[in-house]
Amino acid sequence: MLTIAIQNKGRLNEDTISLMKDAGISASASHRKLISDAKGFPLHVLYLRDDDIPQAVAMGVADIGIVGLNEVLEKEQDVDVRMNLGFGACRLSLAVPKSVDYPGLSWFEGKRVATSYPVILRNFFDENNIHAFVHEIAGSVEVAPAVGMADAIFDIVSSGGTLIQNGLREEDVVIRSEAVLISNPTIGEEKEEELAKLMFRFQSIIESRGMKYVLFNLPKEKVEEAVSILPGMKSPTILSLADPDWVSLHVVIHEDILWEKIEQLKSIGAADILVLALENVIK
Ligand code: PRT
Ligand code: ZN
């Protein structure tokens, strides 16, 4: 049976539990548990701090894990990144006080940079031939310049609000991160088979997120036009109606373009449009 390590509390915990739930796997969201058995899939769940997940997977304490790519890159443990999970998106960026007239990376030469990600930052400076002092700080990195502990910072940015609040400006994005599924490189054939099933479930959920199921009625002569409005759709489901001049079309549309497409469909005569939530698309 596979053992999965997930964050016990924090930013990734809730989205991890809900991805598993959508995939039919219920794990306890309890912050106090260390290990439990999931329901709906043969899986032990190990609850850890995110910092410890890459090592737990590399050591084989857990076979697989869900953690930010930033932690995987920082810890440099021997694990395989198997898939992106579509949540926990952020970037790791260099930021400088807003008063600085920033000429480019050369500005960092000889400067002190505070970060909780010293490995990623040193690698980046080495690649760019910059000689800077990397100061490792466990938390509240963004206050380091204001209190004179550093000239600049390297930290996680999501909305950018924290940087602005602290009088800092994002200058260089070093890596982009999101939650990923990692595995121990030598879990063996049997566990690989179980993992393939789990990844299949996750992939279906991720692909169906944001999709809507749309049904509408349309004059029969407009079907070709409707198909041209809905590109990427291999073949719509077309059902005949009691009125021989009309048909009913069923399609799947991403919510980002839903309203634009509905307006176009209405303009060619679509009527009685139903938009339904879509739970899963299994290919
Ligand atoms: O206790 P444990 O060690 O498990 O948790 P943690 O405190 O180390 O991590 P946690 O729960 O804060 O974050 C877990 C993971 O979420 C990170 O490793 C990232 O992969 C991801 N993530 C996504 C983020 C953010 N977005 C994020 N915005 N992690 C942290 N932040 C912080 C950032 O450090 C900064 O202080 O939020 C602030 C910036 O946010 P904005 O929106 O103001 O830019
Ligand atoms: Zn952590």
Side-chain angles (χ1 to χ4, degrees), residues 7 49-51 71 117:
Q7 197 189 21
R49 280 197 61 187
D50 68 344
D51 309 57
E71 288 298 330
Y117 294 90

mmCIF file of all heavy atoms in Angstrom, residues 7 49-51 71 117, ligand 2:
data_model
loop_
_atom_site.group_PDB
_atom_site.id
_atom_site.type_symbol
_atom_site.label_atom_id
_atom_site.label_comp_id
_atom_site.label_asym_id
_atom_site.label_seq_id
_atom_site.Cartn_x
_atom_site.Cartn_y
_atom_site.Cartn_z
ATOM 1 N N GLN A 7 1.108 18.026 3.706
ATOM 2 C CA GLN A 7 1.347 19.063 4.725
ATOM 3 C C GLN A 7 0.295 18.953 5.834
ATOM 4 O O GLN A 7 -0.896 18.846 5.548
ATOM 5 C CB GLN A 7 1.297 20.451 4.076
ATOM 6 C CG GLN A 7 1.934 21.521 4.948
ATOM 7 C CD GLN A 7 1.715 22.931 4.426
ATOM 8 O OE1 GLN A 7 0.797 23.184 3.658
ATOM 9 N NE2 GLN A 7 2.551 23.851 4.869
ATOM 10 N N ARG A 49 5.385 18.602 8.265
ATOM 11 C CA ARG A 49 5.688 19.977 7.844
ATOM 12 C C ARG A 49 6.162 19.910 6.397
ATOM 13 O O ARG A 49 6.868 18.972 6.016
ATOM 14 C CB ARG A 49 6.803 20.553 8.706
ATOM 15 C CG ARG A 49 6.342 21.043 10.046
ATOM 16 C CD ARG A 49 7.406 21.951 10.637
ATOM 17 N NE ARG A 49 7.639 23.108 9.777
ATOM 18 C CZ ARG A 49 8.616 23.993 9.976
ATOM 19 N NH1 ARG A 49 9.453 23.848 10.971
ATOM 20 N NH2 ARG A 49 8.758 25.028 9.166
ATOM 21 N N ASP A 50 5.855 20.910 5.618
ATOM 22 C CA ASP A 50 6.228 20.828 4.196
ATOM 23 C C ASP A 50 7.737 20.688 3.993
ATOM 24 O O ASP A 50 8.184 19.991 3.094
ATOM 25 C CB ASP A 50 5.648 22.003 3.390
ATOM 26 C CG ASP A 50 6.258 23.337 3.749
ATOM 27 O OD1 ASP A 50 6.921 23.458 4.810
ATOM 28 O OD2 ASP A 50 6.069 24.282 2.960
ATOM 29 N N ASP A 51 8.517 21.293 4.897
ATOM 30 C CA ASP A 51 9.993 21.227 4.785
ATOM 31 C C ASP A 51 10.520 19.784 4.838
ATOM 32 O O ASP A 51 11.584 19.497 4.320
ATOM 33 C CB ASP A 51 10.652 21.977 5.945
ATOM 34 C CG ASP A 51 10.115 23.379 6.120
ATOM 35 O OD1 ASP A 51 8.887 23.518 6.299
ATOM 36 O OD2 ASP A 51 10.915 24.317 6.046
ATOM 37 N N GLU A 71 10.004 23.819 -2.394
ATOM 38 C CA GLU A 71 10.634 22.999 -1.348
ATOM 39 C C GLU A 71 11.447 21.862 -1.972
ATOM 40 O O GLU A 71 12.504 21.497 -1.464
ATOM 41 C CB GLU A 71 9.587 22.412 -0.393
ATOM 42 C CG GLU A 71 8.959 23.421 0.545
ATOM 43 C CD GLU A 71 9.969 24.079 1.494
ATOM 44 O OE1 GLU A 71 10.983 23.454 1.854
ATOM 45 O OE2 GLU A 71 9.727 25.238 1.858
ATOM 46 N N TYR A 117 15.343 30.486 1.333
ATOM 47 C CA TYR A 117 15.673 29.545 0.254
ATOM 48 C C TYR A 117 17.118 29.742 -0.212
ATOM 49 O O TYR A 117 17.370 30.097 -1.364
ATOM 50 C CB TYR A 117 14.679 29.707 -0.912
ATOM 51 C CG TYR A 117 13.292 29.286 -0.495
ATOM 52 C CD1 TYR A 117 12.401 30.205 0.051
ATOM 53 C CD2 TYR A 117 12.907 27.958 -0.572
ATOM 54 C CE1 TYR A 117 11.148 29.811 0.490
ATOM 55 C CE2 TYR A 117 11.649 27.552 -0.142
ATOM 56 C CZ TYR A 117 10.775 28.481 0.389
ATOM 57 O OH TYR A 117 9.546 28.087 0.831
HETATM 58 ZN ZN ZN B 2 7.732 24.991 5.919
#
